[in-house]
């Protein structure tokens, strides 16, 4: 966890020039971290070089507290491409068979696990045993049992476990949370979360029960689950749910197409949510109180997030979510800076318990009591 000065001194001349150009463009207004930084740097290896891994890598080029220094992939050609594109050293490149050797590499502080859901459990535990901090994409695991085992492994290894809840750092989202805490909406009575899109390639891992652990609920519905919790500001105490499946060929047994689910909260507030792989134009959060309301639409997409309340349009800056997430997570790991909304394994475990309960509610057609 070297300082930024140490990090730059290790770069070659051309790489240094490119890096400083990146910092200068940041300072010129591309993001909110607009001053030169001379503190500790979190050196990150990304595991899983697919579409989202690439998005994170690109976003990290604007970070000052977090730097991409390593890769873990089962595809040698991708490793070579990333080495060339991001200046990654050969000694910081691993595959899925040998990445346990990062325990011997002092130049990697943390690993961001961006692999299919079913692989998170094993990958996170192996990274923890190698003594590195872990950032894991959501959902953290296939179920709450796996999630607890991952938390226990990281605690035993004395490393941090964070989860990729990028919306926990999004400015308009945080403004609504602040207004709710300040009482601007009065007593919260209702939340609605709509999350969905028409899924494409039928051969992708997201439609494979063994790899994804489910369907739309695991992939996109988790935004509504988590959003209901941080928007309402309470933990749900019961859940009901109903599944609709119109295409059993595409959405095979155990892969949900559309699930509607409802929560009840201790205050009496309720939530009505929907996750789907068969409808577009669904990316909306709505929070209602007896004195006002808040709406985000789009609410969780990559941006720009747009929102309004009963007081008018939200005008907080548009950000690159993954850039801000990695900057803030570096602060959490290196400096112990607490986020407004938690992003640790315990936070993710609550979502997994709710997911388990939603699937049970679908199966039994019963109201399921939650104890988070």
């Amino acid at each position: 966890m070297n300082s930024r000065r140490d990090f730059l001194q290790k770069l070659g001349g051309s790489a240094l020039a490119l890096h400083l150009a990146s910092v200068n463009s940041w300072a010129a207004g591309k993001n909110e971290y607009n001053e030169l930084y001379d503190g500790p740097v979190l050196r990150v290896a990304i595991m899983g070089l697919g579409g989202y891994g690439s998005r994170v890598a690109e976003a990290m080029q604007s970070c000052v507290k977090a730097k991409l220094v390593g890769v873990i992939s089962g595809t040698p050609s991708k490793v070579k491409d990333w080495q060339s594109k991001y200046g990654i050293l050969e000694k910081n490149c691993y595959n899925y068979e040998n990445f346990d050797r990062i325990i011997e590499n002092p130049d990697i502080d943390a690993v961001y696990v961006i692999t299919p859901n079913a692989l998170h459990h094993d990958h996170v535990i192996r990274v923890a045993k190698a003594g590195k901090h872990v950032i894991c994409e959501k959902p953290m695991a296939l179920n709450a049992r796996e999630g607890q085992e991952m938390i226990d492994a990281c605690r035993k290894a004395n490393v941090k476990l964070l989860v990729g809840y990028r919306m926990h750092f999004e400015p308009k989202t945080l403004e609504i949370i602040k207004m709710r805490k300040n009482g601007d909406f009065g007593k919260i009575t209702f939340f609605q979360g709509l999350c969905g899109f028409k899924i494409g390639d039928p051969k992708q891992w997201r439609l494979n029960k063994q790899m994804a652990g489910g369907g739309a609920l695991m992939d996109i519905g988790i935004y509504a689950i988590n959003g209901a919790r941080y928007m309402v500001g309470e933990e749900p105490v019961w859940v009901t749910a109903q599944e609709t499946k119109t295409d059993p060929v595409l959405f095979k047994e155990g892969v949900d197409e559309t699930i509607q689910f409802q929560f009840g909260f201790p205050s009496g507030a309720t939530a009505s949510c929907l996750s789907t792989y068969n409808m577009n134009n669904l990316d909306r959060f709505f929070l209602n109180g007896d004195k006002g309301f808040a709406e985000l639409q789009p609410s969780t997409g990559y941006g720009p997030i747009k929102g309004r309340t009963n007081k008018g349009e939200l005008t907080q800056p548009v950000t690159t979510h993954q850039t801000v997430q990695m900057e803030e997570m570096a602060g959490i790991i290196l400096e112990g800076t607490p986020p407004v909304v938690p992003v640790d394994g315990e936070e993710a475990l609550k979502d997994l318990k709710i997911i388990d309960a939603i699937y049970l509610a679908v199966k039994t057609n019963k109201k399921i009591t939650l104890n988070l």
Side-chain angles (χ1 to χ4, degrees):
M1 301 177 199
N2 296 357
S3 72
R4 178 172 167 75
R5 182 184 292 113
D6 294 336
F7 185 88
L8 292 177
Q9 285 175 346
K10 291 184 179 180
L11 292 174
S14 61
L16 174 59
L18 288 171
H19 188 79
L20 291 176
S22 173
V23 172
N24 290 337
S25 67
W26 184 293
K30 284 192 176 181
N31 49 66
E32 62 270 38
Y33 300 91
N34 55 5
E35 59 184 50
L36 291 176
Y37 175 74
D38 193 30
V41 172
L42 184 72
R43 297 163 301 176
V44 179
I46 289 181
M47 178 188 294
L49 311 186
Y52 193 70
S54 297
R55 183 180 290 272
V56 172
E58 283 297 303
M60 286 185 68
Q61 301 315 295
S62 297
C63 289
V64 294
K65 290 184 178 181
K67 287 298 161 188
L68 172 63
V69 300
V71 294
I72 302 169
S73 174
T75 308
S77 60
K78 287 185 178 181
V79 172
K80 291 297 182 184
D81 289 345
W82 280 49
Q83 280 189 271
S84 175
K85 186 172 185 178
Y86 300 114
I88 296 170
L89 301 177
E90 181 68 32
K91 70 182 184 68
N92 293 342
C93 298
Y94 300 88
N95 58 45
Y96 295 121
E97 286 71 44
N98 69 13
F99 76 81
D100 306 272
R101 286 167 42 195
I102 59 173
I103 193 172
E104 304 162 359
N105 192 335
D107 295 332
I108 294 174
D109 303 313
V111 175
Y112 194 159
V113 177
I114 312 179
T115 51
N117 303 340
L119 304 179
H120 291 176
H121 176 264
D122 178 60
H123 288 164
V124 166
I125 291 175
R126 286 172 64 186
V127 170
K129 287 180 178 178
K132 306 300 181 181
H133 299 295
V134 189
I135 303 169
C136 182
E137 252 316 296
K138 58 191 179 303
M140 184 174 72
L142 296 185
N143 52 57
R145 177 190 56 79
E146 284 192 356
Q148 186 63 62
E149 291 172 357
M150 294 156 72
I151 291 170
D152 293 343
C154 290
R155 184 179 294 120
K156 181 178 180 180
N158 196 31
V159 299
K160 292 188 182 297
L161 171 58
L162 305 181
V163 180
Y165 288 112
R166 58 187 168 82
M167 303 314 298
H168 292 197
F169 308 107
E170 196 282 315
K172 293 180 177 66
T173 300
L174 290 175
E175 178 64 18
I176 291 174
I177 292 172
K178 178 183 176 182
M179 293 177 69
R180 188 255 301 154
K181 288 180 175 178
N182 289 341
D184 290 6
F185 308 128
K187 177 179 170 60
I188 300 302
T189 57
F190 177 72
F191 171 80
Q192 182 187 51
L194 305 178
C195 300
F197 60 91
K198 280 204 168 191
I199 198 161
D201 181 7
K203 296 181 180 179
Q204 63 181 284
W205 67 262
R206 288 177 178 82
L207 295 175
N208 182 323
K209 164 69 173 176
Q210 284 65 45
M211 295 299 286
L217 185 69
M218 299 290 285
D219 182 28
I220 192 73
I222 192 170
Y223 286 99
I225 292 169
N226 192 252
R229 296 174 51 227
Y230 63 67
M231 294 285 273
V232 173
E234 298 180 66
E235 300 295 2
V237 292
W238 58 258
V239 60
T240 54
Q242 308 81 38
E243 180 178 9
T244 301
K245 185 172 292 191
T246 63
D247 188 346
V249 175
L250 182 59
F251 304 102
K252 297 177 175 59
E253 181 68 27
V255 179
D256 48 283
E257 173 187 325
T258 301
I259 292 182
Q260 298 177 75
F261 52 97
Q262 303 80 37
F263 296 147
F265 296 89
S267 66
T270 57
S272 177
C273 304
L274 181 147
S275 70
T276 184
Y277 270 159
N278 200 32
M279 288 179 265
N280 287 326
N281 309 310
L282 291 178
D283 186 6
R284 178 178 184 264
F285 283 0
F286 180 79
L287 183 70
N288 197 45
D290 60 10
K291 293 183 180 178
F293 71 88
E295 179 185 43
L296 291 172
Q297 187 175 8
S299 58
T300 64
Y302 295 142
I305 301 300
K306 296 181 181 180
R308 65 190 180 104
T309 73
N310 53 292
K311 296 185 176 182
E313 183 181 358
L314 294 172
T315 58
Q316 286 67 34
V318 174
T319 62
T320 301
H321 300 170
Q322 295 79 9
T323 303
V324 180
Q325 172 193 309
M326 295 306 295
E327 288 290 274
E328 296 296 327
M329 286 185 166
I332 293 169
I333 291 173
L334 299 177
E335 301 162 352
T337 307
V340 174
V341 184
V343 292
D344 56 16
E346 297 289 347
E347 171 77 2
L349 180 62
K350 293 176 181 178
D351 285 342
L352 292 173
K353 289 179 178 179
I354 294 171
I355 288 173
D356 287 351
I358 290 173
Y359 282 133
L360 182 59
V362 167
K363 183 178 179 179
T364 63
N365 197 29
K366 294 181 179 179
K367 179 186 285 189
I368 306 300
T369 300
L370 293 167
N371 184 12
L372 303 181

